[in-house]
Amino acid sequence: MSNYKYEYKQTSNSSSRAFYGFDSKPDGITIHHWGSDGQKHKNVVGWLRGAAGGTDNDGSSAHLVVSAGLCTRLEKDSRATWHAGNGEGNGRTIGIECRPEMSDGDWRTLVEVCADLEEEHGSLKYFLHQDWKATACPGRYADKLDDLVKDVNAEHARRKAAASKPKPAPKPKPAPKPKPAPSAAPKVWPAAPIKVTGDKTKEWHNAWVDLLERLEHDDEDLGKNFQKWLNGFKDPRTGLPYYDFNKYLHDGVMGPASVRALQRFLFDRRDGDGKRFYNGVADGDRGALTVKAEKKYLNHQIQFLGKK
Ligand SMILES: [Zn+2]
């Protein structure tokens, strides 16, 4: 269960893993701290984004910046960021910048992020920055690597137990039926198909709000509606809901778990030509490819819902 907020802010400072002689699948995590106490998460993010963050830093970056309750992704794991000061470290591992104060909350979020990464990539090796070069980094985390591995494994065990807990039979829910074209047409469904681009547009957002509203998911929080909607369909891989409330919170946060559920749902559904709406990997990153797929799916749904 992920209890942290997840955001994506692309860095300008990255390269392919192939540049360092490694393939695109990382096999480890390198733990860093961001240096001195008192610095703000968002300022660290800004700096590590380089030009994209409006700074002149063109030499360092990381994949993730983590502090209590917040994880910012700066680059996809399939690419290398510049965190280790060492080609192999950059080539093989995912760099995580942690808050140096190392509060209980910072630690807890780090453990969850690592567990999520292992769910994505399989078991990973853990390194300290100082395993790659002589440095004081990662400070207070330096003698905590064994504890981290232990806590991540405990988190996996906890999730597994939660997922296999017998639950009361779910109330049979009638399949969401398209409503008849309402006489007073709802306000926001776009009159013409949404232009299929990777940009997160207002049209795209409003179309989701409208579609889910028509399917009677009308919580004020779009994220919560998504999670409830994706909870209503079974993932054929597991026989469990795409977004499983026994495993994940109904908290409305469109974090990696929610986005992965959406990606799997769109992967399993096909358009009029028999093509999958989403043909990428379920990486939990709501990037351009996923947004494009969402738009195709939304356009496809118009026919069932009746145009205005
Ligand atoms: Zn470091």
Side-chain angles (χ1 to χ4, degrees):
M1 177 175 338
S2 301
N3 291 306
Y4 58 86
K5 179 175 182 292
Y6 174 86
E7 57 182 20
Y8 196 114
K9 297 190 172 175
Q10 183 68 45
T11 181
S12 304
N13 298 343
S14 69
S15 40
S16 68
R17 291 193 181 276
F19 176 82
Y20 298 104
F22 291 86
D23 66 35
S24 61
K25 194 168 164 43
D27 72 349
I29 289 174
T30 299
I31 301 295
H32 301 263
H33 74 160
W34 65 57
S36 39
D37 287 6
Q39 289 187 83
K40 292 243 164 43
H41 182 120
K42 74 168 196 297
N43 295 340
V44 173
V45 166
W47 174 251
L48 293 174
R49 292 178 70 200
T55 75
D56 58 9
N57 170 25
D58 60 3
S60 65
S61 56
H63 290 87
L64 300 163
V65 179
V66 171
S67 62
L70 179 60
C71 173
T72 309
R73 174 173 286 284
L74 308 181
E75 181 53 280
K76 291 177 179 28
D77 291 337
S78 58
R79 288 177 57 79
T81 58
W82 308 335
H83 56 93
N86 170 291
E88 187 183 347
N90 287 347
R92 281 176 62 181
T93 69
I94 298 163
I96 305 182
E97 286 286 349
C98 303
R99 185 167 170 266
E101 285 87 338
M102 202 174 79
S103 69
D104 289 350
D106 296 333
W107 182 261
R108 186 67 215 144
T109 298
L110 174 63
V111 167
E112 289 187 8
V113 167
C114 291
D116 284 341
L117 289 171
E118 290 197 336
E119 283 193 3
E120 194 64 48
H121 300 293
S123 176
L124 294 164
K125 298 184 183 73
Y126 288 79
F127 300 93
L128 303 170
H129 189 186
Q130 57 197 219
D131 293 329
W132 300 117
K133 70 172 250 190
T135 167
C137 181
R140 294 185 182 95
Y141 294 85
D143 56 3
K144 300 284 281 182
L145 211 52
D146 290 346
D147 288 341
L148 181 59
V149 172
K150 217 166 61 195
D151 285 0
V152 171
N153 287 334
E155 173 67 12
H156 285 311
R158 199 189 60 72
R159 291 180 184 186
K160 217 170 140 195
S164 64
K165 208 166 46 195
K167 49 170 170 171
K171 255 187 265 149
K173 203 167 101 192
K177 269 201 213 93
K179 289 189 197 170
S183 44
K187 315 78 21 194
V188 289
W189 193 274
I194 304 167
K195 227 169 115 196
V196 176
T197 66
D199 297 325
K200 297 180 178 179
T201 57
K202 206 164 162 185
E203 264 190 330
W204 156 81
H205 175 89
N206 288 346
W208 271 124
V209 172
D210 188 20
L211 175 63
L212 296 182
E213 204 169 276
R214 292 185 196 214
L215 299 174
E216 290 171 344
H217 298 303
D218 49 11
D219 193 289
E220 258 176 38
D221 184 333
L222 177 59
K224 279 193 178 171
N225 288 333
F226 260 117
Q227 290 169 339
K228 198 157 129 242
W229 177 61
L230 290 165
N231 180 256
F233 298 93
K234 279 206 170 127
D235 182 339
R237 296 162 195 79
T238 59
L240 298 169
Y242 282 98
Y243 190 83
D244 188 354
F245 286 157
N246 285 317
K247 200 170 163 200
Y248 298 113
L249 288 180
H250 187 200
D251 58 2
V253 177
M254 286 304 284
S258 304
V259 174
R260 273 201 296 273
L262 179 62
Q263 288 170 328
R264 289 192 175 126
F265 176 88
L266 293 172
F267 182 87
D268 290 339
R269 273 154 190 80
R270 293 169 189 270
D271 66 19
D273 297 320
K275 283 207 273 205
R276 298 181 190 283
F277 288 102
Y278 180 74
N279 209 1
V281 289
D283 60 2
D285 166 27
R286 203 176 188 183
L289 209 61
T290 306
V291 171
K292 262 190 193 169
E294 292 174 37
K295 288 180 179 172
K296 280 190 229 155
Y297 180 75
L298 287 165
N299 286 338
H300 186 253
Q301 291 300 298
I302 291 177
Q303 59 184 304
F304 301 114
L305 295 166
K307 282 186 204 166
K308 278 191 277 188

